[in-house]
Amino acid sequence: MITYSQFEDAHPNNDRRLPSGPSARDVSPTRPVCAFLGPLEVRTGGRTHTVGGNRQRTLLAALLVSLGRPLAAEQLYTELWGENPPPTFENSLQAHVYRLRRTLQQLAGPDGRAPELLTRSSGYVLELGDEETDAAAFRRLAGQARACARHAPDQALQLLDEALALWRGAPFQDVAQGPMSQSVALALEEEQLCAVEDKLWLEIQLADPVHSISELKRMRTIHPWRERLTEMLMLALYRTGRQAEAVETYNSTRHRLASELGMEPSLKLRQRLQQILNQAPSLDAAVPA
């Protein structure tokens, strides 16, 4: 995701030229054909549809996380049944594939274009053509934000807002996830958290940091071991004239790390504390909107 230094290096004297890649103005409102950042949905013909049947949703989830790449039948057995497939698992898989293919075609309607569930010699593959999933859209927008964070932080903030707006809940929220789906869901949740942190960092730079303090406190309570949240909270408190609270935030984090994990704060967090204690002029530098 967006690296910390890309945001931290930004200051009022930065060149604000836009990068050569796509900008926020070039990005049209995203309407992915398949969405799984939350409940699993298929969107065709201007409508949103759910897929009935636990096995069908699990099968669709597995195909979506391997989009465009054939999945061997053996992998799908594990996704659908774990370590205890039924005696007729080969026929059962073929039946589930047939039903899902028919479901996707029915959801698209006579004039719509359904995601294609194709049979290959090496297994099964789902093709979306020129369309994308909401997870792909999220990663695309977050990548664009990363690309322009240094030179156009206001644009990066807009792109992150668009990326995070795609989330409706935990990935595959209504799916009995197999090993592949679980792995992808965990990775996406980490990427979302990084994007939220990046957004909060930009908001501290571009707006009154007082507006970010309550959200930073909330996030720090949920994720107490993410030192970046602590560092951002310290900076936001300092910039709003609350130096003592910033120091206390560090001390409470240090105490918790020592008592529960037997470790000290990172070097970066210790350096931030020293800057705050010394009232370093660099702490007051903010990126103008």
Side-chain angles (χ1 to χ4, degrees):
M1 297 301 295
I2 304 172
T3 60
Y4 205 5
S5 60
Q6 282 179 298
F7 294 119
E8 196 163 9
D9 289 345
H11 55 78
N13 295 324
N14 270 356
D15 181 1
R16 299 299 298 279
R17 291 175 297 176
L18 298 182
S20 58
S23 72
R25 292 186 298 272
D26 298 326
V27 179
S28 59
T30 303
R31 184 65 176 171
V33 66
C34 288
F36 53 85
L37 299 180
L40 183 58
E41 296 178 349
V42 178
R43 300 165 178 174
T44 60
R47 296 183 178 182
T48 297
H49 308 275
T50 58
V51 175
N54 291 333
R55 298 290 185 204
Q56 283 199 64
R57 287 198 299 274
T58 302
L59 174 59
L60 179 56
L63 292 164
L64 283 170
V65 300
S66 301
L67 197 61
R69 302 191 308 272
L71 266 182
E74 290 76 11
Q75 292 175 285
L76 290 172
Y77 300 153
T78 303
E79 288 294 299
L80 291 170
W81 295 290
E83 300 299 323
N84 299 297
T88 59
F89 56 85
E90 293 182 358
N91 291 335
S92 295
L93 175 59
Q94 292 174 3
H96 285 305
V97 168
Y98 171 78
R99 292 191 195 103
L100 180 58
R101 182 183 290 126
R102 184 179 60 184
T103 296
L104 293 174
Q105 292 170 345
Q106 289 174 343
L107 293 180
D111 301 321
R113 180 178 177 182
E116 292 187 274
L117 176 46
L118 306 174
T119 302
R120 297 284 186 251
S121 58
S122 53
Y124 300 95
V125 60
L126 190 69
E127 298 282 0
L128 298 185
D130 296 331
E131 305 291 344
E132 64 182 349
T133 66
D134 57 351
F138 166 75
R139 285 170 164 163
R140 170 174 55 80
L141 291 166
Q144 290 172 352
R146 180 176 62 248
C148 69
R150 185 186 298 273
H151 299 294
D154 47 356
Q155 180 179 312
L157 182 58
Q158 179 182 343
L159 287 163
L160 285 171
D161 279 335
E162 292 183 42
L164 291 168
L166 294 168
W167 285 75
R168 298 166 290 113
F172 298 115
Q173 185 173 299
D174 58 345
V175 175
Q177 300 171 28
M180 287 190 304
S181 301
Q182 287 179 352
S183 176
V184 169
L186 289 172
L188 283 167
E189 287 178 335
E190 173 64 21
E191 291 177 39
Q192 182 203 27
L193 185 51
C194 289
V196 170
E197 289 177 340
D198 296 337
K199 180 175 180 287
L200 286 167
W201 175 259
L202 284 171
E203 287 177 343
I204 293 173
Q205 308 305 311
L206 295 170
D208 185 348
V210 71
H211 298 304
S212 303
I213 289 175
S214 60
E215 180 62 12
L216 282 165
K217 287 183 175 181
R218 186 187 73 84
M219 292 289 294
R220 182 168 168 263
T221 300
I222 299 171
H223 306 283
W225 309 125
R226 295 185 75 92
E227 291 192 9
R228 187 181 180 192
L229 292 171
T230 297
E231 185 177 353
M232 287 191 288
L233 178 57
M234 290 168 59
L235 180 60
L237 288 167
Y238 177 82
R239 286 186 176 175
T240 54
R242 297 154 69 174
Q243 183 179 9
E245 285 186 58
V247 174
E248 174 54 31
T249 297
Y250 172 87
N251 288 335
S252 64
T253 296
R254 181 178 181 274
H255 175 75
R256 186 167 186 177
L257 284 169
S259 61
E260 297 187 27
L261 300 180
M263 56 188 296
E264 289 291 315
S266 66
L267 175 62
K268 190 170 185 62
L269 199 60
R270 299 198 302 271
Q271 290 174 337
R272 185 66 79 194
L273 172 67
Q274 289 303 313
Q275 290 175 332
I276 289 173
L277 291 172
N278 297 330
Q279 298 183 352
S282 60
L283 293 180
D284 295 320
V287 180

